Amino acid sequence: MTWHILVPDNVNRRATDLLAAIPDFRVTAPGNMPRNEVLAEIGSAHALIIRSATTVDAELLAAAPKLRAIARAGVGVDNVDLEAALARGIIVVNTPGGNTISTAEYTLALMLALARHIPQGHASLSAGNWDRVAFGGVELQGLTLGIIGMGRIGREVAARAGAFDMVCIGYDPYVDARSAHTAGIEKQDSLEQVFARADFLTLHALVTPETRHMINATSLELMKPGIRIINAARGALIDETALTAALQSGQVAGAAVDVYPEEPPPVDYPLLNLPNVIHTPHLAASTDGAQVRVAIEAAELLRDGLLRDDWRNVVSSD
Ligand code: MLT
């Protein structure tokens, strides 16, 4: 039997070459496929490799009668209707480790850019100004970094923030105080305690019914005035209307966002139009190293699963 692997998103060539070199596989990977083309091709596909651009929803699943597996080259599977896929017996796998360092480093890059207004200074000089006053910043040394979600990425962020002599505190119901301490993070008993102490807050949580809009009008009020917020996790963690109001009032001094509830965000997405917000197009995992690692791992997961029934990194619905 020949397995047809459809790769609608831009996934590193080394992964598709790896699969295409195996006689049992036929690979369709034109890169960046528009939705109508995905719908036209998916009928014959036995497996998909996706990043975040393709939404695997009821419509796509209904058009995919032969689909056996979905491999996410990355961590988040929020673009997959997991319940529907699992109910159909489709196996969903992901590659949670491959982009950890890229994402942690990017979080630090956003934090430094936020602390020192680097994009604003760049834009000002590019526009012909020479303003050394408007963009005065803050030092990170001695400031407290609140880390929401102390998994792989949160821990790597802490390691790097420690090098800047920041005090790292955090919250994660699934991580105990001892293992947080090993990662250089002082675990707090509640989100509220983190909000009250943090000068910078960085989000590294999945979107679940509990975490959706965790940054909202109520939580923003509990935060230390002048806090700065970084989100390189998922856009839906933030209620953008509430954050916009807090940025306008000064309760929040600045925010850096790399992720959006809808990607790309609409032009009127409120956080795109504020002077104290830095925004980038979901770049945290976009390094050569990370993209090669997650793509090859996704391809190997499908190869071993489809050919030997050896399924690893299987995502469940809970
Ligand atoms: C992930 O979930 O792994 C990241 O958001 C990166 C990506 O979507 O490629």
Side-chain angles (χ1 to χ4, degrees), residues 1-5 22-27 44-46 66 306-307:
M1 147 160 208
T2 301
W3 300 100
H4 179 205
I5 315 291
I22 303 172
D24 307 270
F25 290 108
R26 175 166 78 84
V27 181
S44 61
H46 299 102
K66 298 185 177 165
L306 292 170
L307 296 185

Side-chain angles (χ1 to χ4, degrees), residues 50-53 72-79 94-96 99-100 103 153 206 232-234 258-259 263 282-286 291 294:
I50 53 166
R51 288 188 61 196
S52 57
R72 165 70 157 100
V75 190
V77 287
D78 45 320
N79 52 328
N94 70 350
T95 62
N99 58 30
T100 302
T103 306
I153 299 170
L206 295 173
R234 282 296 178 266
D258 183 48
V259 284
E263 295 188 353
H282 201 150
L283 294 180
S286 294
Q291 287 314 313
V294 295

Side-chain angles (χ1 to χ4, degrees), residues 59-293:
E59 183 192 31
L60 220 66
L61 290 170
K66 298 185 177 165
L67 200 64
R68 285 270 323 267
I70 301 168
R72 165 70 157 100
V75 190
V77 287
D78 45 320
N79 52 328
V80 178
D81 183 341
L82 259 192
E83 259 180 52
L86 301 186
R88 280 253 317 262
I90 295 168
I91 295 169
V92 180
V93 296
N94 70 350
T95 62
N99 58 30
T100 302
I101 299 302
S102 289
T103 306
E105 289 182 357
Y106 198 76
T107 301
L108 267 290
L110 289 177
M111 182 154 61
L112 287 163
L114 199 51
R116 305 302 296 272
H117 307 293
I118 293 170
Q120 292 90 339
H122 172 89
S124 171
L125 183 54
S126 298
N129 306 312
W130 182 256
D131 192 341
R132 298 187 64 213
V133 177
F135 306 115
V138 291
E139 287 181 345
L140 299 183
Q141 179 170 270
L143 294 186
T144 298
L145 174 63
I147 302 174
I148 307 299
M150 299 187 286
R152 290 183 178 80
I153 299 170
R155 286 158 183 258
E156 294 296 342
V157 167
R160 286 152 184 76
F164 283 95
D165 282 336
M166 296 187 86
V167 177
C168 293
I169 62 171
Y171 181 74
D172 187 327
Y174 304 105
V175 174
D176 63 42
R178 202 161 148 175
S179 100
H181 180 75
T182 310
I185 310 171
E186 196 189 305
K187 183 179 174 174
Q188 307 295 290
D189 294 330
S190 66
L191 279 174
E192 289 71 22
Q193 287 180 3
V194 178
F195 294 155
R197 284 184 58 194
D199 299 295
F200 280 82
L201 186 73
T202 183
L203 309 179
H204 301 289
L206 295 173
V207 179
T208 65
E210 291 77 41
T211 63
R212 182 177 295 278
H213 283 191
M214 66 179 349
I215 305 303
N216 55 38
T218 310
S219 56
L220 285 160
E221 255 181 49
L222 299 173
M223 292 180 195
K224 200 165 166 181
I227 191 169
R228 291 173 170 85
I229 298 175
I230 300 146
N231 187 12
R234 282 296 178 266
L237 296 172
I238 291 180
D239 172 348
E240 62 273 12
T241 309
L243 180 56
T244 300
L247 283 156
Q248 283 166 337
S249 74
Q251 166 66 4
V252 174
V257 290
D258 183 48
V259 284
Y260 308 86
E262 188 190 324
E263 295 188 353
V267 280
D268 60 352
Y269 183 66
L271 296 177
L272 296 183
N273 299 303
L274 294 169
N276 46 353
V277 177
I278 297 169
H279 36 76
T280 52
H282 201 150
L283 294 180
S286 294
T287 60
D288 294 346
Q291 287 314 313
V292 169
R293 275 191 299 274

